[in-house]
Amino acid sequence: MKTLIFLSIIFTSLLCHSALANKTTAQQAMRQGSKSFQDGDFTQAIQHWQQAAQLYGQLSQPVAQSQALTQQAEAYQRLGFYPEAINQLATALALVKSPENKELQVSILANLGYLCAILNESSTGEEETKSHRQNCERGALCYIDEGLQLAQGNDVLTALMLISRGNIFALNKEPLQALA
């Protein structure tokens, strides 16, 4: 019986050590991603943030994982890979769909709306792309409207969503709507 308890303690200790090592590695990957991003090496930043997101996922830390995915989306956006950025943000949003993460949700929704609008603006003329862009265009304002609902009662978050809404209308060359 004593041996079983001793083995259980050792096993628990190893699990805790492994989780702590993964958390430290994830935090280092986040810092390295930020450094690469600041240096303009967006591809390297994506790789670091992918590693961090994977580790945070293993650690069941959805908020930290969402933040790593959001950072990846920013790097994809800088590279002009808007569909990839949108996919990262959609995944990040799904991870933080709870009332205590309202600010993070609103920020992600604002980014999703804006990226969908940018994707719609950068038409290639291909029918498949047009179809994808139409779906995203409907989504752009839907993301903003969802963010506005979440932002109710918070003036700063509401302002963020209204600015995002105006930016989308400006991108769509609808200046009167942008001012509304």
Side-chain angles (χ1 to χ4, degrees):
M1 183 69 166
K2 287 182 182 180
T3 304
L4 190 57
I5 292 172
F6 178 72
L7 289 175
S8 177
I9 291 171
I10 289 176
F11 181 71
T12 302
S13 175
L14 288 174
L15 284 178
C16 289
H17 178 69
S18 175
L20 183 60
N22 281 349
K23 184 175 182 180
T24 301
T25 303
Q27 290 168 339
Q28 287 173 339
M30 288 294 287
R31 284 191 297 275
Q32 290 170 331
S34 294
K35 170 111 174 61
S36 294
F37 187 87
Q38 289 170 355
D39 292 343
D41 190 351
F42 305 122
T43 303
Q44 187 66 41
I46 289 168
Q47 291 173 357
H48 288 301
W49 288 325
Q50 280 176 335
Q51 179 189 14
Q54 185 177 39
L55 289 169
Y56 284 131
Q58 291 170 2
L59 293 167
S60 297
Q61 294 187 357
V63 172
Q65 185 179 10
S66 178
Q67 290 167 337
L69 292 168
T70 302
Q71 294 297 102
Q72 281 182 58
E74 179 69 25
Y76 277 124
Q77 181 181 352
R78 294 291 177 100
L79 292 170
F81 299 141
Y82 300 120
E84 290 85 351
I86 290 167
N87 289 338
Q88 295 302 315
L89 288 172
T91 302
L93 182 62
L95 289 168
V96 292
K97 282 282 194 178
S98 61
E100 66 268 8
N101 298 319
K102 183 170 36 175
E103 291 84 7
L104 188 52
Q105 288 177 59
V106 169
S107 175
I108 293 169
L109 287 164
N111 286 329
L112 275 167
Y114 187 67
L115 283 174
C116 281
I118 289 173
L119 187 62
N120 288 331
E121 185 64 23
S122 61
S123 172
T124 63
E126 297 173 15
E127 197 58 41
E128 183 178 305
T129 303
K130 282 183 183 178
S131 171
H132 175 71
R133 288 172 355 106
Q134 285 174 343
N135 291 334
C136 201
E137 182 176 318
R138 284 193 298 268
L141 291 176
C142 288
Y143 290 130
I144 300 303
D145 290 342
E146 184 180 344
L148 277 169
Q149 287 179 352
L150 284 171
Q152 285 181 349
N154 184 319
D155 292 341
V156 173
L157 294 178
T158 299
L160 170 68
M161 295 313 294
L162 290 173
I163 290 168
S164 296
R165 185 179 181 84
N167 287 339
I168 289 170
F169 283 120
L171 277 172
N172 291 332
K173 297 174 180 58
E174 299 178 39
L176 294 179
Q177 289 288 350
L179 296 174

